[in-house]
Amino acid sequence: MTLFNRLLLIIFGTGLIPVVPTAVFLFYYQSVAKTNVQELHENVAQMASLMVGQKADEMERRLYTMWEPGADYITASNLRKTLARNPEFLFMAFTGPDGREVLSAGTSEIKRLFGYVDLSRDQLFKKAVRTGRSQIGGFELVYNLPICRLIYPMDSGHYAFAVINLRDLFVKLEMQKMGDTGGVFISDAEGRIFSLHGGAQVVDRENLKRFFSGTEKSSRELQGASGGYYLASYSGVPGFELYVVTLQERWDAFNGINLITSLIAFFLLGISTVFYFSALILSRRLVNPVGELIEGAKRVAGQNFKQPVRETADITEMSTLLRSFNAMMTEVDRYHGLQ
C-alpha cells in the first residue's frame, strides 16, 4: 500500500470515529421511537375501550334505576316519562319472555323503522336470556345517528329493549386523532367498523377478524382495504363483544421518525464526504513534498547535485525540510568538488 493510500485511510478512518457510534445510535433511536408510537396506540385503545365500557355501564345503571323492584312501570304514560327524562333513548319497547312486544314508544322515525318488535330470533336477546345479564350491540348508522341496541332483563320477567343514541360517545372518540390519517373506531367481533360518518371500511373485515384472534394487541402490518398498511392496536370492551381499534396509515405514523432519521443520515453522509475530501487534500499535501524528497534523493544517489527540489509546500514544516534538503545538496556538491 502506498504512503498516499495509508495516509488517506488513517485520516479518513479517524474522521469516521464519531460517525459510526452516531449511526448506531440513530438505528437504536428509530427502533425505540417506533416502539413508543406503537405503545401510544395501545394506550389510546385501552383508554377508549374503558370509555366505551363506562358508557355501556352508565346506560345499564340508568335502566336499573328507572324502575323500582316490584313496581309496574310497563304502562304507556310511564314509558313516555322515562323517554322524556332520557333523551339518549330514542326508542324503547317491553317484551315478554318470548321476546315479543308488549308495549313500545319513541321517536316516530325510529318507531317506524323498528315497527313491531320481535326479538325471539335476535342473538342479543338469546344471550340476555341465557346469561340473565343486559346485552349491548347492534351498532349501526341510522339517519346519520350512531345507535346501538340494549336489552335489559327485568325482575318481572319482561325485557326492556332500548335503542340508544351514541353520538356524544362517537364524537369523543373521533376527537382522538392519530396523526393526519388515523383515528379511534369501534368494531364488533366480525370486524365491522362503525364510524360517525359511515363510509367504506379502511381495513377489510377478514383482516380485522384475524387481527382480533391473534395474540398481539398491535400490529404494523395490518393491510388496508386499498392495499396500504396500517399501524393498528385494539382493546376489548369489558363485558361486551366489542373492540376499540386505533388505525393510522403506517407512513403517517412513522413520518416524523423517518424524517428525523433521513435528516441525520444526510448529515452523517455530508460529514463523511467532508472528511473524505479533507483527508484526500491533506494526504496530497503531505505526499507531494515527500515525493519531491524521494526524487531529490535519487538524483543525489546518481551524483546529480545541481537540480534542487522545489521548496514550496502548503505545510510550513515540509517547506523547511525541503530547504534543508537543498542546503544539504549544496554542501555535498561543494564537498564533492573539493574531492
Side-chain angles (χ1 to χ4, degrees), residues 1-297:
M1 184 182 292
T2 64
L3 176 62
F4 174 77
N5 290 333
R6 286 180 182 274
L7 287 173
L8 180 62
L9 182 62
I10 292 172
I11 298 173
F12 183 59
T14 303
L16 287 182
I17 289 176
V19 174
V20 174
T22 305
V24 173
F25 171 77
L26 180 62
F27 176 79
Y28 171 76
Y29 157 78
Q30 188 176 39
S31 176
V32 171
K34 288 185 177 181
T35 301
N36 290 340
V37 172
Q38 194 166 342
E39 290 177 351
L40 173 63
H41 272 254
E42 294 177 4
N43 293 334
V44 170
Q46 290 175 0
M47 289 188 294
S49 69
L50 291 176
M51 184 188 303
V52 176
Q54 289 173 355
K55 183 68 174 180
D57 291 340
E58 177 190 344
M59 295 297 103
E60 185 178 357
R61 287 195 302 270
R62 195 175 298 181
L63 281 174
Y64 178 77
T65 56
M66 281 181 185
W67 306 285
E68 297 178 2
D72 183 14
Y73 276 77
I74 307 178
T75 64
S77 60
N78 286 334
L79 183 55
R80 285 194 296 270
K81 290 178 183 178
T82 298
L83 292 176
R85 289 195 300 266
N86 299 274
E88 290 176 314
F89 288 76
L90 302 177
F91 175 79
M92 182 176 290
F94 295 106
T95 72
D98 59 354
R100 298 181 184 274
E101 178 184 323
V102 175
L103 179 68
S104 66
T107 60
S108 57
E109 294 84 357
I110 303 297
K111 187 173 177 60
R112 184 166 55 251
L113 177 66
F114 282 90
Y116 177 78
V117 176
D118 183 0
L119 303 177
S120 57
R121 298 182 180 180
D122 187 88
Q123 295 300 319
L124 280 179
F125 176 75
K126 291 180 179 179
K127 190 172 181 180
V129 173
R130 185 173 65 254
T131 62
R133 296 179 55 190
S134 59
Q135 300 296 323
I136 189 171
F139 288 83
E140 63 177 319
L141 203 65
V142 176
Y143 302 126
N144 291 327
L145 287 177
I147 66 168
C148 73
R149 296 165 174 81
L150 176 63
I151 299 176
Y152 180 80
M154 303 178 66
D155 294 336
S156 61
H158 294 85
Y159 289 85
F161 170 73
V163 177
I164 304 172
N165 179 10
L166 296 176
R167 182 177 181 83
D168 290 344
L169 174 62
F170 273 69
V171 167
K172 290 179 181 178
L173 290 178
E174 292 201 355
M175 289 174 63
Q176 307 297 319
K177 293 293 185 181
M178 309 295 292
D180 295 329
T181 62
V184 182
F185 305 90
I186 294 178
S187 173
D188 60 12
E190 297 301 316
R192 289 188 294 264
I193 290 180
F194 307 100
S195 173
L196 185 62
H197 305 292
Q201 288 208 168
V202 294
V203 177
D204 185 72
R205 287 174 55 184
E206 293 300 321
N207 291 341
L208 268 184
K209 285 179 64 176
R210 286 193 294 270
F211 182 38
F212 294 153
S213 61
T215 57
E216 299 294 332
K217 293 291 185 180
S218 60
S219 172
R220 302 180 188 179
E221 304 294 335
L222 187 63
Q223 188 170 9
S226 59
Y229 288 93
Y230 282 81
L231 173 62
S233 294
Y234 77 90
S235 179
V237 179
F240 303 96
E241 293 183 357
L242 294 173
Y243 299 94
V244 173
V245 189
T246 62
L247 294 172
Q248 185 179 7
E249 292 188 30
R250 191 170 62 183
W251 68 265
D252 181 36
F254 300 141
N255 184 47
I257 299 171
N258 292 334
L259 178 60
I260 293 175
T261 302
S262 300
L263 290 175
I264 297 178
F266 280 118
F267 178 71
L268 293 178
L269 180 61
I271 291 177
S272 301
T273 303
V274 171
F275 274 138
Y276 174 77
F277 284 104
S278 298
L280 185 65
I281 294 171
L282 182 58
S283 298
R284 290 190 181 278
R285 289 182 176 180
L286 288 172
V287 169
N288 287 340
V290 173
E292 287 288 331
L293 289 174
I294 292 172
E295 293 299 323

Side-chain angles (χ1 to χ4, degrees), residues 289 292-301 304-305 307-311 318-332:
E292 287 288 331
L293 289 174
I294 292 172
E295 293 299 323
K298 288 180 180 180
R299 289 195 295 271
V300 169
N304 181 4
F305 306 110
Q307 184 179 352
V309 298
R310 288 182 299 177
E311 297 179 354
M318 296 302 295
S319 297
T320 303
L321 178 61
L322 291 172
R323 286 195 298 269
S324 299
F325 185 83
N326 284 336
M328 182 190 69
M329 285 182 63
T330 302
E331 291 298 324
V332 172

